[in-house]
Amino acid sequence: MSGDFPLPPILQTPCSSEPVLITQGAEGRLYKTTYLTPNLPCALKYRPPKPWRHPTLDARLTKHRILSEARILSRCRREGIRVPGVYASDEVGGWLMLEWVPGAPVRVRINEALGDRQSGIEEDEGLKDLMRRIGKAIGDMHAVGVVHGDLTTSNMMLSPKPLNEVDGEPEGQKGCLEGEIVIIDLGLASGSLLIEDRAVDLYVLERAFGSTHPRAECIFDQVLEAYNGTFKQAPAVLKKLEDVRMRGRKRSMIG
Amino acid sequence: MSSEIEVVQLDHIPSRHVIHLALFQDVGNAEFLHKQLLSRNADFEYAFVDASVIVSRLHLLSAVFKAVTSASNDVLKTPNVHSEIVANLAASNNVRNHAHSVIQMTDAPQIAEAYRRYGVSTATKNLVAVKVAENGSPSTEQIAEHLAKNVEGTQVPATDEKLASTADMSKVFKYYKLNGLNWLDKIKDHSAKQKEVEMLVVGAMALRGL
């Protein structure tokens, strides 16, 4: 199934398998297809032309966004941060071909692990360990000067560890909390070393987490605790986070 | 002497383009081949790539994919699809820069540098030849025959193993600016490290020209 949309031109070319529409966001669509050969799955991120925008402006915005995401991803990879690698891009065609990250979104795995439990979540070591790995992943990303801009548990994948070994389920097992955190969707990411920007990044995640997993809010402190140990300015970021909580994501225009 | 040649099927490439790939070891006439390119001999319209800078099929075929895509979108930055393949092997020169602060140099010196680094030179020992035929012309047989006749060397299948063995990793690290990446040096497992190198190389190429 490829959805109700016409396929982007790049996916109308011959391919060994049918592209599959994975998600549709406000700005673009994500397909699963293959890069070069049938055995190399990839994610195709497509930003279709927006008919309501002036064509010249639309082309410039699309180009800019494709470019900036490709650059941020490559930069993260060079620094050893787990993000999808870039295989190819076409800023005119409006697409990016990215490494396919096997596994499931962290959101899904957390919800599976929570089930319908109402208690005992605070003592769940598996979940708490996952929280700490999330904190570490974000800290490592911030340490190299990248802020994500839209951190949620949907924008992180839990990827089963032995990426090369083919034994077991390639997408990982239901409810399994083991694996590597891979941060995805860096479409709103930017380069920044500012304490403020990093604190806002954490704040956005904190808020998103609270509404997506209200029952697990009690263990969110594990994220911050692990973050605290990842780089030199982390304690200052956490201090700033307290200010951001008081005033919200946007800085006051008064004064 | 076999005159077999591999026809490579790539996903998302318009079917009128047929990609041919051959690897020659111990090439004895690199100087002659280099000269044909310099004199723009139309009979030698190939991407002749020095195998020492190629880490894997994914690496090489990424350059081919990008070149054929550019050709079919009519946005080549070099004279033809074959020179484009060689030019596409070059890494982006602005990986670390921010979107707005890049002062674009003209393309020409960078392209010449790419030919020098990645293309056949008089010092080439092992050679990758790529030929993209369009609408069946020239035919696979013609290409195989022409290469077999004009490249003095042992033709071997262009497998990942072979390409890994002909790669000069110190050159690859230098050209793709991979030296000094501590996390990369720390990876003990050889094949895991190769995979990372491959991804970094392909990523650097994907950004080039953007």
Side-chain angles (χ1 to χ4, degrees):
Chain A
M1 186 210 76
S2 45
D4 299 330
F5 309 100
L7 285 172
I10 180 71
L11 291 183
Q12 292 176 24
T13 48
C15 181
S16 50
S17 58
E18 282 286 306
V20 181
L21 181 67
I22 303 292
T23 56
Q24 183 212 344
E27 280 284 325
R29 312 200 282 264
L30 189 81
Y31 292 91
K32 183 177 184 181
T33 180
T34 48
Y35 178 58
L36 304 182
T37 58
N39 56 12
L40 190 58
C42 80
L44 184 107
K45 200 169 174 177
Y46 175 57
R47 292 176 181 270
K50 312 291 185 294
W52 58 88
R53 286 199 299 234
H54 185 280
T56 313
L57 173 69
D58 184 45
R60 278 176 61 177
L61 283 173
T62 298
K63 181 176 175 175
H64 175 77
R65 285 173 186 162
I66 296 279
L67 266 176
S68 89
E69 185 168 3
R71 286 200 179 110
I72 285 276
L73 286 169
S74 274
R75 180 166 151 198
C76 285
R77 271 311 270 245
R78 279 185 61 88
E79 301 283 358
I81 306 299
R82 298 310 305 185
V83 296
V86 182
Y87 287 136
S89 66
D90 180 349
E91 75 279 13
V92 178
W95 54 261
L96 268 178
M97 273 193 203
L98 306 174
E99 180 185 17
W100 182 257
V101 179
V106 167
R107 170 181 50 80
V108 170
R109 290 292 184 244
I110 291 178
N111 286 340
E112 286 168 358
L114 286 173
D116 48 17
R117 271 191 289 166
Q118 295 294 337
S119 61
I121 294 161
E122 239 164 309
E123 289 84 46
D124 188 323
E125 273 311 314
L127 270 174
K128 283 164 79 176
D129 184 65
L130 176 66
M131 295 297 117
R132 290 191 287 270
R133 277 177 285 145
I134 292 171
K136 166 100 169 54
I138 299 168
D140 289 345
M141 176 182 69
H142 283 179
V144 303
V146 172
V147 291
H148 185 280
D150 186 25
L151 281 177
T152 63
T153 48
S154 301
N155 284 340
M156 294 170 208
M157 297 289 288
L158 190 57
S159 199
K161 201 136 204 178
L163 280 172
N164 293 321
E165 282 168 44
V166 203
D167 54 276
E169 301 249 332
E171 303 291 329
Q173 276 175 359
K174 204 174 166 210
C176 173
L177 298 179
E178 299 202 349
E180 204 173 16
I181 304 287
V182 182
I183 296 172
I184 61 166
D185 195 359
L186 283 88
L188 294 172
S190 54
S192 172
L193 292 164
L194 296 178
I195 301 293
E196 165 78 23
D197 294 343
R198 291 161 166 169
V200 169
D201 230 13
L202 291 177
Y203 179 70
V204 167
L205 177 65
E206 191 174 68
R207 292 296 296 262
F209 192 90
S211 58
T212 316
H213 315 286
R215 280 174 293 144
E217 224 175 347
C218 54
I219 53 170
F220 189 78
D221 62 330
Q222 298 293 310
V223 173
L224 302 180
E225 209 169 284
Y227 180 90
N228 195 31
T230 45
F231 66 112
K232 210 176 116 218
Q233 296 98 323
V237 175
L238 293 175
K239 189 122 190 39
K240 180 63 94 180
L241 175 61
E242 291 169 22
D243 299 348
V244 178
R245 279 189 192 125
M246 300 293 286
R247 58 146 226 254
R249 180 168 63 88
K250 299 251 197 290
R251 232 200 265 246
S252 170
M253 301 295 278
I254 305 160
Chain B
M1 189 72 140
S2 108
S3 52
E4 293 275 302
I5 191 166
E6 184 188 350
V7 174
V8 186
Q9 202 77 48
L10 293 185
D11 285 341
H12 303 303
I13 292 277
S15 51
R16 66 176 181 278
H17 302 280
V18 182
I19 297 150
H20 299 83
L21 171 63
L23 173 61
F24 294 90
Q25 287 189 309
D26 304 312
V27 173
N29 64 336
E31 198 167 349
F32 165 78
L33 298 170
H34 186 228
K35 213 173 261 170
Q36 305 315 305
L37 293 190
L38 289 184
S39 62
R40 296 174 195 234
N41 182 345
D43 292 341
F44 284 78
E45 223 196 71
Y46 294 99
F48 281 143
V49 176
D50 194 309
S52 66
V53 294
I54 298 298
V55 296
S56 66
R57 287 175 67 90
L58 181 71
H59 177 195
L60 176 76
L61 295 175
S62 288
V64 175
F65 174 76
K66 197 173 169 186
V68 175
T69 306
S70 297
S72 75
N73 293 339
D74 222 7
V75 291
L76 287 175
K77 291 181 170 128
T78 64
N80 59 62
V81 71
H82 297 101
S83 52
E84 193 86 356
I85 291 170
V86 179
N88 281 345
L89 285 165
S92 156
N93 51 353
N94 54 26
V95 182
R96 285 163 169 278
N97 291 338
H98 293 268
H100 298 295
S101 59
V102 184
I103 300 162
Q104 279 288 322
M105 295 203 324
T106 57
D107 270 350
Q110 286 173 39
I111 289 170
E113 174 76 354
Y115 295 161
R116 201 182 60 73
R117 284 184 164 184
Y118 306 96
V120 66
S121 75
T122 53
T124 297
K125 279 269 160 298
N126 304 308
L127 179 78
V128 179
V130 181
K131 175 78 181 178
V132 182
E134 211 175 331
N135 298 319
S137 158
S139 73
T140 300
E141 293 72 33
Q142 285 169 325
I143 296 166
E145 206 173 298
H146 186 258
L147 279 173
K149 208 170 90 191
N150 289 289
V151 180
E152 288 171 19
T154 315
Q155 199 186 325
V156 294
T159 59
D160 277 329
E161 293 72 31
K162 265 280 174 273
L163 289 170
S165 74
T166 51
D168 175 348
M169 292 313 280
S170 66
K171 252 197 212 173
V172 170
F173 268 59
K174 183 176 166 226
Y175 291 172
Y176 292 96
K177 303 189 184 82
L178 304 180
N179 287 313
L181 300 180
N182 292 332
W183 64 273
L184 184 61
D185 296 336
K186 273 189 223 151
I187 301 175
K188 291 277 181 295
D189 181 67
H190 180 73
S191 79
K193 190 169 175 174
Q194 284 293 108
K195 279 271 156 245
E196 285 297 333
V197 168
E198 184 181 58
M199 193 67 244
L200 290 173
V201 163
V202 171
M205 283 163 42
L207 279 188
R208 197 193 150 268
L210 292 183

